[in-house]
Amino acid sequence: MPTLLAIESSCDETAVAIVRGESGSAAELLASVISSQIELHREHGGVVPELASRNHSLRLQGLVEETLAQADLKMTEIDAFAATSGPGLASSLLIGSTAAKGMACALNKPFLAINHMEGHLLSPFIHNSSIPPHLALIVSGGHTLLIDVQGAGQYSKLGSTRDDAAGEAYDKVGKMLELPYPGGPEIEKAARAGNPQAYDFPRSMLSEPHLDFSFSGLKTAVLYTLQKEKGKVSIPDLAASFQAAVLDILVGKTLKAAKQSGHTLVALSGGVSMNGALREQLQAACNQSGLELAISPPEFCTDNAAMIAFAGLLRHLAGESSPLSEDIHPNLPLV
Ligand code: KG4
Ligand code: ZN
């Protein structure tokens, strides 16, 4: 049964994982380690690319050794190596991709370049034996995507953001409210004590028939409210009202996409899917419409290498590999 080691280094998490599996049965996750750089970037209010790549490079070797030890394997027992090749920060992607290629080259084993968004998309099914047809909502720091999934590797895009991603909007509003980076979890925390009806923020494009998203108008509405109510604003009320608008848009568009595509299974993934209110609101809406919902397990929502290893294993088992000349692609589309 093939064993695959994968590296994720597209942004500010350095992560390594090892999976083993064969076609038709659920893959076994043998080890998964993540070293987050969030604390390092927090003092700068966001990710500093050079700091990120330097730290990937400093930590990677130790993390590979730790992952092998956790799985009780020697490097020579790995059958294939994978790494995220995009989308992400160029200098960060280069570190993981070059390391995985180096190991593959030294051991004369195949290399697989993996799309980070495919990792997120597959993450709700990491414990499954196959990828069922479904409608995927992927919400991360850089992307907001609605994808019609027919099976592993068979994707068509139904909608995406025309400006900011949902996670990006959370992070930018977090910055306006002077909350620590990243804003997403901080806004969720603040919103718990607030009134979601305190401010009437726009639900941009919600009633339009297409399946694209827009969050920049909402972000600007929050900024104007802050400027207008200088000093008087309640952060919990503002956070709750902002979050209510984001969730109405995400849930509304997802249900519309499910109806249009005919899928009865919806899957939620990406960093923003850590948000408890989103999970609850989407679950309630799916229940009401007779749809099944699969949500990525919390440990696979934010960036991790297990999802990249899983995507890599599926491609390896399908007989695919990438040349060692394969470049990184900072703007790599999923479809
Ligand atoms: O998937 P991810 O780890 O990295 C990217 O591929 O971008 O997503 C990170 C994003 C950030 O924007 C972060 O603020 C957001 O996920 N996020 C959340 C929560 N936890 C993380 N957004 C809202 N609520 C959360 N609890
Ligand atoms: Zn991600």
Side-chain angles (χ1 to χ4, degrees):
M1 219 187 283
T3 305
L4 178 143
L5 182 147
I7 298 174
E8 156 61 35
S9 70
S10 64
C11 190
D12 58 352
E13 323 282 352
T14 324
V16 185
I18 300 175
V19 288
R20 175 179 287 164
E22 58 189 351
S23 300
S25 54
E28 190 186 353
L29 181 62
L30 300 180
S32 177
V33 297
I34 304 175
S35 168
S36 175
Q37 301 180 9
I38 282 181
E39 292 302 327
L40 197 75
H41 297 283
R42 188 164 277 158
E43 63 185 277
H44 303 281
V47 179
V48 182
E50 190 187 328
L51 265 185
S53 57
R54 280 182 164 199
N55 277 275
H56 287 312
S57 147
L58 285 173
R59 293 175 184 188
L60 197 48
Q61 188 186 350
L63 289 176
V64 168
E65 285 166 5
E66 195 183 323
T67 312
L68 285 166
Q70 228 181 63
D72 196 21
L73 288 170
K74 292 196 255 319
M75 181 82 89
T76 49
E77 292 174 288
I78 303 293
D79 302 299
F81 293 87
T84 303
S85 65
L89 298 170
S91 52
S92 287
L93 290 165
L94 266 175
I95 306 294
S97 168
T98 307
K101 282 184 201 174
M103 292 188 279
C105 180
L107 295 164
N108 200 21
K109 297 284 167 65
F111 165 70
L112 293 108
I114 301 300
N115 186 310
H116 181 83
M117 303 315 293
E118 182 177 39
H120 278 305
L121 180 144
L122 297 174
S123 64
F125 304 101
I126 228 163
H127 299 304
N128 288 37
S129 53
S130 64
I131 306 301
H134 67 276
L135 171 79
L137 170 66
I138 318 174
V139 269
S140 70
H143 295 78
T144 308
L145 289 168
L146 280 167
I147 306 285
D148 182 330
V149 180
Q150 289 304 323
Q154 295 171 274
Y155 314 128
S156 46
K157 188 165 84 176
L158 300 178
S160 62
T161 181
R162 294 193 181 171
D163 40 57
D164 291 344
E168 188 179 359
Y170 264 101
D171 295 340
K172 286 179 176 170
V173 168
K175 218 169 184 176
M176 288 178 206
L177 299 179
E178 295 175 7
L179 296 171
Y181 169 84
E186 298 293 330
I187 288 181
E188 179 180 17
K189 231 185 283 168
R192 283 192 205 119
N195 171 11
Q197 273 130 29
Y199 300 98
D200 186 19
F201 289 133
R203 272 70 171 157
S204 311
M205 294 183 178
L206 183 55
S207 51
E208 293 176 24
H210 62 76
L211 297 171
D212 282 344
F213 300 89
S214 167
F215 293 103
S216 79
L218 170 59
K219 178 191 68 187
T220 309
V222 173
L223 181 66
Y224 286 165
T225 303
L226 271 172
Q227 286 170 347
K228 207 171 73 193
E229 304 228 342
K230 226 177 171 129
K232 289 184 293 178
V233 89
S234 147
I235 291 192
D237 283 352
L238 199 123
S241 303
F242 162 76
Q243 177 162 282
V246 174
L247 301 196
D248 281 352
I249 297 167
L250 290 176
V251 172
K253 286 282 180 186
T254 303
L255 285 202
K256 194 176 282 181
K259 205 177 257 174
Q260 281 185 20
S261 64
H263 282 298
T264 53
L265 172 62
V266 173
L268 172 67
S269 64
V272 182
S273 64
M274 279 300 277
N275 189 288
L278 170 61
R279 294 164 91 98
E280 280 166 25
Q281 196 168 321
L282 188 58
Q283 185 68 68
C286 284
N287 290 349
Q288 207 167 30
S289 301
L291 300 166
E292 202 186 328
L293 177 65
I295 307 183
S296 189
E299 64 272 31
F300 306 134
C301 286
T302 47
D303 289 348
N304 64 90
M307 67 184 192
I308 304 301
F310 182 58
L313 183 65
L314 288 182
R315 290 195 174 271
H316 179 61
L317 292 173
E320 292 181 34
S321 67
S322 310
L324 290 177
S325 57
E326 178 75 41
D327 203 357
I328 50 128
H329 306 280
N331 299 311
L332 185 64
L334 177 59
V335 271

